[in-house]
Amino acid sequence: MKNNMTKTTPLDAMEQTTGVPTEENQIAIDANIEAIYYGKFRAVRQSHVPIRKGEITGFIGPSGCGKSTVLRSLNRMNDLIPTFKMKGHVHFMGQDIYDPAIDPVVVRRHIGMVFQQPNPFAMSIYDNVAFGLKINRFKGDVNQRVEEALREAALWDEVKDKLHSSGLALSGGQQQRLCIARAIAPNPTVLLMDEPCSALDPIATRKVEKLMHELKKHYTVAIVTHNMQQAQRVADTTAFFSVDISDGERCGYLVEMGKTEELFEDPKQELTRKYIRGEFS
Amino acid sequence: MKLDPFCAEQGGSGEPCAPSFLEILCDRGFRWLTFAAGGIVISLGLYIIFEIGSAAVPAMKDNGLGFFVSTTWDVARNEFGILAEIWGTLYSSLLALLLGGFFGVSIAIFFTQGYLNHRVAQVFRSIIQLLAAIPSVVYGLWGIYVVIPALRPVASWLNEHFGFIPFFGTKLSGPGLAPAVIVLAIMILPTVAAISQDAFKQIPYKVKEAAYGMGTTRREAIMLVMLPTAANGIMGALVLGFGRALGETMALAMLIGNANQISLSLFSPAKTLASLLASNFPEAGAVEVSALMYAAVALLIITVGVNALGAFIMSRSKRQEAI
Ligand SMILES: Nc1ncnc2c1ncn2[C@@H]1O[C@H](COP(=O)(O)OP(=O)(O)OP(=O)(O)O)[C@@H](O)[C@H]1O
Ligand SMILES: [Mg+2]
C-alpha cells in the first residue's frame, strides 16, 4: 500500500504529459458508465458523462435518478458501500480509475469531494484544512497553504482570529466553506460537490456559488444540484439525468448534456424541456 | 375544573383537547414516583457513607492523617497505616488499565471499523460480553491454576536477564502483582470494549465519508479521524474501567499475595485497599474494624475522585467542541 503511493503513480505520470489541446485532453474525467448496481438493483444504465477541464459541470434531474451515484463513482467514493458494483470505465488522466491496479485511495486524493451535509472533523479549523496536507506529506509551508485554501474558500476573514478553535463551532455555511477549503488545500485536480448548498441559507448559498466561479480558475468542478437556477448560475455544462420507470424498475440515465445556455434554451430532448418547464420533478 | 380554555368539548369531537383529568393525575403520580425512586437511592448512598464514616471515627482519632503515609498494620500495637495498600490499589489498577485499555480500544476498532464481516463481529462481541458474566471467584481460581503457573517461567527468565530493571526486580514465587494485573485487565476489558464500541458506532456516517473522501487509507481514517472523534467516549470507557479495577476485590485478594509492601516489581506480592478489607475483616476486633472502615473511606474517596476527574475531563472536552 505504502509503496503504491510513494512511487510515481500512473496518475502522476500523466500529469507531466502536455500536448496539443485536442478535444481529447479538454476532458478531465471521461465516464463511460455501462451500469451501476447496488446489489441486484440497477441504479444507473448506459450513460456517457465527460467532465470538461477547467469548467463547472452541473448534474440536474429528479430525485432518485442517480446523480449522486454517478458523481460518487467518479472518485470511487461508492466503494465504501459494500453492495456497489460498477460496470464500465472512468478515465482520468488516461487511466481507468476502476482498473484493479489502481488504489482508490490515490484516486480520492486527486479527485476531492464536498458533501451535502457539512462534515468538518472534530478538530481545529487549522487542523481541518491541514489534514489533506498531512496525509499527502506536503513539504512546503503549511501555514501559508492553509491560509491560501481558506482565502480561496472565502472563509479566511471570518476565521483568521480563531484558527485553533473547533471547526464544529462554526455556522453551517462556514462549516461548508471549511469543507471546501479542506478539499482544495491539497490541490486536487477535480472537485466533486454533491448538493453543497442544500443545507445552507440563501446568503450562504450565494457565497458558495460565487466561490465556485473562483474555484474553476484552478480546478475542474462537477456539482450536483437540485436547483435549476443554481445550475444556470454556476454551470458551464449541464447534464440532465432522468429515471426510467418502464419495466418495473427505476433506472437512472443521462438524458442529455450540453452547454448550459443551450440545454436550458433549446433542449434537444422533449423530456429535458418538460423538466426545465417544471412539468415533472 | 375547566381543563381546556380554548374548547368546550372534552375530546372525541376530532378537535384538539386537553389531557383528561385522569391523565393529569397519572402525570403527577409518575413525577412523584420518579422523585421517590431517585430520593431513595440517593439517601441510601448517603446513609452508607454516613455509617462507614461514623464507624471510622475512632480510627481517625487514633491514627489521624498519618494513616495515609504509614505502612504499618499492627493489630497488637494498634498501629495502622495504608500507604502500601493505596500504592497497590493505584499501581495495579493503572497497569490493568494500560493493558485492558489498549486491548479494549483495539478490539473496539477491530469490531467497528469494517475489518470484520458484520455477523462474525456480532459473534466476537457476544464472546467478549460473556467475559463480564464470569464471577470474580472464577477469575481468581483461573488466575491461581492457570495464570500463575504459566507466568512463573517467564517471570524468572525476565528476572534473571533483566533484573536490573525495577519492574523485574524480584522473582514470582506465587501470587503477585503480575497475575493480578493480567486477570484484572481481562475483567475490565468487556467494559472498556463495549463502551468504546458505542463511541465508535456513534460517529455519524458523514464523518467516515469525509475521511475516506480526503483519500485516507483505513489506518489514517482510524488514527487521524475516528479515534479523535470518539475520544470522549473512549475516555469515559477508560475511566469506568479504572473505577472497576480500583474496587475489584475477590480475584485480587486471591491473586495479589496480600503483602504489606511497596515495590515497583511486577512479580512481588502487594496488597490493595479492597483486598485488605476482604482478607482482614472476618477476624478483626473492634479497633481493627474501625481502621478498616477508615481504609474504606479512603477507597471511597479515591473512586469518587477518579470518577469526578473523568466527568470533568469529559465535560471539558465536550465544551471544546460545542456544536
Ligand atoms: N447505498 C445505497 N444502497 C442501495 N441503493 C441505493 C444506495 N444509494 C442510492 N441508492 C438508490 O440508487 C438510486 C439513485 O440514488 P441517488 O442517491 O444517486 O439519487 P439522486 O439523483 O442523487 O437523488 P437525490 O436528488 O434525491 O439526491 C435510488 O433509487 C436510490 O434508492
Ligand atoms: Mg443525491
Side-chain angles (χ1 to χ4, degrees), chain B residues 106-257:
Chain B
S106 307
I107 284 173
I109 289 174
F110 187 58
F111 285 179
T112 57
Q113 298 304 308
Y115 285 105
L116 277 185
N117 169 302
H118 194 68
R119 285 252 178 77
V120 182
Q122 195 61 47
V123 173
F124 275 92
R125 209 170 292 148
S126 318
I127 294 174
I128 300 282
Q129 224 105 82
L130 225 63
L131 290 178
I134 299 174
S136 186
V137 189
V138 177
Y139 273 114
L141 289 173
W142 180 70
I144 290 174
Y145 289 111
V146 179
V147 179
I148 294 178
L151 218 53
R152 211 176 269 142
V154 183
S156 55
W157 186 86
L158 280 171
N159 176 241
E160 238 163 69
H161 295 86
F162 298 99
F164 55 91
I165 303 174
F167 297 122
F168 310 131
T170 59
K171 279 204 168 8
L172 183 71
S173 48
L177 197 62
V181 164
I182 288 173
V183 169
L184 202 50
I186 297 174
M187 292 177 81
I188 66 170
L189 188 81
T191 313
V192 177
I195 299 174
S196 320
Q197 279 182 60
D198 286 344
F200 279 111
K201 280 198 217 147
Q202 270 165 19
I203 300 177
Y205 184 69
K206 64 175 189 176
V207 174
K208 180 178 164 184
E209 268 186 342
Y212 287 99
M214 286 302 292
T216 56
T217 60
R218 175 143 51 186
R219 192 196 65 81
E220 285 167 339
I222 292 168
M223 298 307 286
L224 302 177
V225 178
M226 301 309 214
L227 263 178
T229 309
N232 270 332
I234 293 173
M235 198 65 205
L238 294 179
V239 169
L240 273 173
F242 192 57
R244 244 209 102 180
L246 287 173
E248 174 49 40
T249 310
M250 199 57 216
L252 275 189
M254 293 165 82
L255 290 171
I256 204 164

Side-chain angles (χ1 to χ4, degrees), chain A residues 72 105 108-109 118-119 182, chain B residues 206 209-210 212 214-215 220:
Chain A
R72 287 157 163 267
V105 166
R108 295 183 201 128
R109 290 184 186 193
N119 52 6
R182 180 181 66 188
Chain B
K206 64 175 189 176
E209 268 186 342
Y212 287 99
M214 286 302 292
E220 285 167 339

Side-chain angles (χ1 to χ4, degrees), chain A residues 126-244:
Chain A
Y126 181 93
D127 288 339
N128 263 286
V129 183
F131 186 87
L133 303 176
K134 193 159 142 195
I135 63 171
N136 287 292
R137 298 187 302 277
F138 180 72
K139 290 282 177 350
D141 185 346
V142 175
N143 291 342
Q144 188 194 338
R145 186 68 199 118
V146 167
E147 178 176 339
E148 273 169 22
L150 283 168
R151 280 189 194 283
E152 280 185 81
L155 188 60
W156 175 252
D157 291 329
E158 287 156 73
V159 301
K160 62 171 186 273
D161 300 321
K162 49 174 183 179
L163 286 178
H164 293 283
S165 63
S166 170
L168 294 172
L170 297 173
S171 77
Q174 290 173 326
Q175 287 191 11
Q176 193 62 302
R177 277 177 286 148
L178 177 61
C179 292
I180 294 174
R182 180 181 66 188
I184 61 182
N187 254 320
T189 313
V190 182
L191 198 58
L192 308 177
M193 303 174 123
D194 193 349
E195 301 189 40
C197 301
S198 67
L200 307 185
D201 65 69
I203 294 171
T205 299
R206 283 306 174 112
K207 271 191 185 159
V208 172
E209 285 179 7
K210 207 168 136 238
L211 168 62
M212 280 190 269
H213 283 293
E214 293 298 312
L215 289 180
K216 79 173 178 187
K217 292 176 188 160
H218 304 287
Y219 311 95
T220 301
V221 180
I223 173 176
V224 171
T225 173
H226 250 127
N227 179 327
M228 276 186 275
Q229 283 74 44
Q230 182 171 60
Q232 280 173 287
R233 284 194 296 263
V234 302
D236 301 297
T237 302
T238 300
F240 170 61
F241 290 83
S242 187
V243 58
D244 198 349

